[in-house]
Structures are given as structure tokens and as C-alpha cells.
Amino acid sequence: MPLETLVPPAPETASVQPPEATTALPAVRFPHRLLPQFDRALSARTALLQALVAEVEFAMDLAADGAIPQAKRIHGLRRSLRRARAVVRLLRPSVPQPLRVSVDEALATVGRSLSGERDAEILPSALANLPDGTGPGMADLHAVLWRQREEARTAPGPAAALATAVEALAGIPALFAEIVPETLDWPDLGEGLQASWKRARKALRKAGTRPSPRRIHAWRKSLKDLRHQLGLFGCANDEVARLTRDLGEITDLLTLRRWASTAQAGRAGRKVHKSVLAEVRGRFPELVERGEQVLGKANRKSLLRDLPR
């Protein structure tokens, strides 16, 4: 597997008042320990708007809640934004790309503003979980990563980004309501889920044929979309969830590998660099094999059961 060539993957504020289309929606808080589900008794348009509003409002509440530790707020906010983007992406077959991307990119921009803090959080654990991560010469690297994490947790930048996130997110439900067709029906959303399944299969083929950090990351993102969308339709799949989690461990290792190439890592970084490569080479083929089983055409009927047509 040619992993030697691995390379790192390279709003207007508005009133919180929702548009008329969403005003009549009931206040909803989906439980975030469980995947939410669409209410099929509602129209497809209303259910979709409700799902987006719930995720955005939850993210805004987290960003504004100073009683929650900053790291947990950032993690929860980014998670809700990923789910919100999965909701938007159900419109792939129904809405022109420029309109859909305008909402998707607005959500992504907020998430990217907090990506550095996310990396600072996961790197110490990624190093500790590496087979050679506690060996000779690693103590200094652990100290550097722990110091960076503590600095990120207390730095003023993330706090300011969280405050800005509340303002940036406030107008997104209205923006989304403008692009959702009035004629949207349940079969349209079913087509959106099938499109996500096809994208996950395509991303798997690319990552499995010629793996790179960019392709592995793209495969994991497509699986996260599919996982959340399956949950919305009441088709949550444990294998998709486990595969997404295990790919997350791989992408965390690749983030560590990228950091190990910087001057901060020093000479010990070269050892980490090689160790990560060996670990990914050892684990990734098994993940590809599992992906081919989970996303295979033979499993399609089971995975996409109860799809509206």
C-alpha cells in the first residue's frame, strides 16, 4: 500500500428570529446521546427544518454556556455542526449545488474557526495510544503536547471564537429555510440518503485503492454524514458507527504524524512519524475490508431499510 506518499489535507449576522416557514415549528431538543429521528407524521420539509434548527440551537446554547468547560463546549459544538451539515446534505439531489453549499459552508466556517483547539485536545491521547508512544524519548513530546493543550484551553482566542459562533449561527436557520423547496417530499430525502451511501462507497474505493490522509479523511467524513442520516431515518447501523469511530483513530494518528514533522517535535518526532506510518499500514487494510462489507451492494437493502419511496 503506497502510504509513503502520505501528505496532510491541505456570515452575515442576523436576528435569531426564524423565518415564517419555521416560526410554527415546535421547540425541539433532540437527545444528543442518541441519534435523533425524523417525525414522519410531519411533512418532509418541516421535519428537515426541525432537524436543522435543533442542531443549530443546541450548538448556540453550548457556545454561550460559560458553565461548561471550554473544551467540552468546542467538542459538542463541532459535533452538532457536523450533524447539521449532514442534514443539509440530504438535499443534494433536490437543491442546486450553489444554494446548498452556501448553507453548508456557513456551518463549516464556524467549525473551522475552532479546529486548532480540537487538534490540541486530541494529540496527547493520540501519542499515548501509539504503540511506541510511551517509549524512550517520548516524555518530552508528551510534555509539549500537554502544555499546548492547557494553553489552548485557557487562551482567549477560543473564547472569542465561541462568542462569534453564536452570532454566525443565528442566521443559518433562516438561510436554510430559504433553500428548502416547498414541494420537498419524503422520497426526495430518501434519494438524498442513497446519494450519501454512493458517496461513501466512492470515498472508500479511493481511499482503499490509493490511501492518503486526504482520502482517508474524506472517507471518514462521508461515513459520518451517512451515519447521522441513517439515524434520522431510524436506520441507525452499529457497524457504520464502529467503522466511523475506528477511522477517527486513524485520522487522529495522521494529525499526530503531521505535527511530528514540525520543529516543535524535534528529533523524537521522526520516531513518531515512522511509528504512525507503521500503525496506519497495519490497521487500515482491515478497515477497508470492513468498509467493503458494510457498504457493499449486498448489504444495501439492509442498510437502507424503511427508506421512503
Side-chain angles (χ1 to χ4, degrees):
M1 185 180 305
L3 279 171
E4 293 87 347
T5 58
L6 285 169
V7 293
E12 184 177 293
T13 59
S15 169
V16 182
Q17 177 63 32
E20 183 177 349
T22 60
T23 301
L25 296 180
V28 173
R29 287 294 184 276
F30 286 138
H32 278 244
R33 292 186 181 276
L34 299 173
L35 288 175
Q37 292 186 24
F38 285 138
D39 183 351
R40 299 279 188 96
L42 302 173
S43 70
R45 185 176 191 274
T46 298
L48 192 73
L49 290 170
Q50 189 182 75
L52 189 284
V53 169
E55 293 296 351
V56 169
E57 288 187 348
F58 189 85
M60 291 173 66
D61 289 347
L62 278 176
D65 193 345
I68 302 175
Q70 182 170 279
K72 291 186 178 296
R73 292 159 65 196
I74 291 173
H75 175 74
L77 184 148
R78 285 171 55 84
R79 185 183 181 200
S80 279
L81 293 180
R82 287 194 298 268
R83 289 182 172 184
R85 294 178 72 189
V87 171
V88 174
R89 290 170 182 179
L90 280 171
L91 293 176
R92 279 191 175 112
S94 308
V95 171
Q97 182 178 2
L99 294 177
R100 176 175 44 77
V101 169
S102 66
V103 181
D104 197 324
E105 184 59 25
L107 291 163
T109 298
V110 177
R112 281 196 294 267
S113 70
L114 296 163
S115 61
E117 287 68 36
R118 187 266 178 190
D119 288 352
E121 283 293 323
I122 62 98
L123 287 178
S125 298
L127 180 59
N129 292 333
L130 199 61
D132 298 332
T134 57
M138 293 295 107
D140 289 344
L141 281 187
H142 278 286
V144 170
L145 290 177
W146 279 103
R147 184 172 64 250
Q148 287 182 352
R149 187 166 85 168
E150 291 308 307
E151 290 173 351
R153 287 180 172 183
T154 57
L162 285 168
T164 302
V166 174
E167 298 178 2
L169 290 171
I172 289 180
L175 183 63
F176 187 57
E178 290 177 3
I179 73 166
V180 180
E182 294 286 348
T183 57
L184 187 75
D185 204 353
W186 286 107
D188 299 323
L189 295 184
E191 289 181 13
L193 179 58
Q194 292 188 69
S196 292
W197 174 75
K198 291 177 182 177
R199 290 176 71 90
R201 280 174 53 83
K202 182 177 180 180
L204 162 63
R205 287 195 298 270
K206 286 186 174 182
T209 303
R210 194 173 181 184
S212 70
R214 190 182 301 276
R215 291 184 172 194
I216 293 172
H217 184 59
W219 180 28
R220 183 177 181 239
K221 286 196 300 183
S222 69
L223 276 176
K224 286 195 289 188
D225 282 348
L226 182 62
R227 176 190 179 187
H228 182 48
Q229 292 168 357
L230 285 169
L232 287 169
F233 281 100
C235 305
N237 184 280
D238 290 341
E239 282 302 315
V240 172
R242 281 192 287 269
L243 186 57
T244 304
R245 179 201 63 205
D246 294 344
L247 270 173
E249 294 177 0
I250 295 296
T251 56
D252 287 350
L253 285 173
L254 293 173
T255 300
L256 175 65
R257 184 174 184 262
R258 186 175 65 231
W259 179 84
S261 302
T262 66
Q264 291 174 302
R267 298 177 64 179
R270 290 197 289 271
K271 181 179 180 181
V272 172
H273 198 274
K274 293 179 181 178
S275 184
V276 167
L277 182 57
E279 183 73 0
V280 173
R281 281 175 170 170
R283 294 176 58 183
F284 191 65
E286 187 263 340
L287 295 181
V288 171
E289 183 178 347
R290 284 166 53 192
E292 290 171 345
Q293 293 174 354
V294 173
L295 299 172
K297 290 187 177 180
N299 196 40
R300 178 180 179 277
K301 186 175 181 180
S302 171
L303 196 65
L304 304 181
R305 65 186 185 277
D306 299 328
L307 207 58
R309 305 186 187 284

